[in-house]
Amino acid sequence: MALLPILCYPDPRLHTVAKPVSAFDLALETLSKDMLETMYDSNGIGLAATQVDVHLRLIVMDTSEEHNEPWVLINPELLEKSEETLIAEEGCLSVPGIFDGVERAQEIRISYLDLQGQRHALHATDLQAVCIQHEMDHLMGRVFVEYLSFLKRSRIKAKFVKAQRQNTRA
Ligand code: GNR
Ligand code: NI
């Protein structure tokens, strides 16, 4: 088991488009476990491989109260999304400390593969649906702050650029 470093906005690697997983091997299993460990350690409810600089279509999630329902979603595909939307306060482990409302479909259907390469269908609503859409965005190289106004995004970017400059000087 290992904790993986999480890329921080505005790291350009967060804009990489992930490739489908094709090898269902031990390395994939190890990566999933390490991503789950990293997600739980950071108190996150989801983590996309993109955030740990691995550009494969792999998501881990756990939206349960008890943090005891780990999900691994491989090569997820959006099958259907509702017309109805909701605005939830989102945060991101790659943009720590920033929370803002984003409009998403309230209900989605996806298909995905498990670690054995078996295909499943999943219907998700509310927080689960929001989280899956947030994670699938990461796999497309999209970070939630890109939905905010230009002014907000500029302020967030400036804040993180400044923090990173101070980190590298220290
Ligand atoms: O931990 C997380 N919480 C969260 C809250 C609302 C909407 C989306 C999320 S995902 C986020 C973890 C993360 O950055 N996943 O990419
Ligand atoms: Ni995120």
Side-chain angles (χ1 to χ4, degrees), residues 137-156:
D137 268 355
H138 276 302
L139 301 182
M140 295 301 295
R142 233 176 284 129
V143 180
F144 88 100
V145 295
E146 290 167 50
Y147 293 108
L148 307 180
S149 69
F150 178 79
L151 184 61
K152 279 187 180 174
R153 189 157 21 97
S154 302
R155 285 184 179 144
I156 293 165

Side-chain angles (χ1 to χ4, degrees), residues 51-77:
Q51 294 175 275
V52 295
D53 203 22
V54 175
H55 302 288
L56 291 173
R57 294 185 60 80
L58 167 64
I59 291 168
V60 297
M61 263 178 68
D62 187 341
T63 51
S64 70
E65 295 267 316
E66 311 271 314
H67 309 291
N68 59 359
E69 286 171 38
W71 289 3
V72 178
L73 309 180
I74 299 164
N75 298 350
E77 285 172 40

Side-chain angles (χ1 to χ4, degrees), residues 5 13 17 61 74 86 132 161:
R13 290 171 289 182
V17 177
M61 263 178 68
I74 299 164
L86 83 180
I132 292 170
V161 166

Side-chain angles (χ1 to χ4, degrees), residues 46-48 51 90-95 134-135 138 142-144:
L47 188 68
Q51 294 175 275
E90 296 197 14
C92 182
L93 296 174
S94 295
V95 200
H134 175 116
E135 304 309 340
H138 276 302
R142 233 176 284 129
V143 180
F144 88 100

Side-chain angles (χ1 to χ4, degrees), residues 6 13 24 28 32 47 85 89 94 101 122 134 138 166:
I6 298 176
R13 290 171 289 182
F24 293 80
L28 187 69
S32 309
L47 188 68
T85 60
E89 190 88 340
S94 295
L122 173 66
H134 175 116
H138 276 302
Q166 279 167 348

Side-chain angles (χ1 to χ4, degrees), residues 81-90 100-107 126 129-130 133-134 137 142 144 146-148:
K81 62 175 182 174
S82 63
E83 291 285 326
E84 308 89 276
T85 60
L86 83 180
I87 296 178
E89 190 88 340
E90 296 197 14
D100 214 327
V102 177
E103 184 172 15
R104 305 274 191 187
Q106 197 238 322
E107 215 176 318
D126 303 298
V130 166
Q133 290 171 84
H134 175 116
D137 268 355
R142 233 176 284 129
F144 88 100
E146 290 167 50
Y147 293 108
L148 307 180

Side-chain angles (χ1 to χ4, degrees), residues 99-118:
F99 302 89
D100 214 327
V102 177
E103 184 172 15
R104 305 274 191 187
Q106 197 238 322
E107 215 176 318
I108 59 170
R109 281 178 203 282
I110 66 161
S111 93
Y112 68 94
L113 304 179
D114 63 23
L115 279 167
Q116 284 72 47
Q118 300 277 2

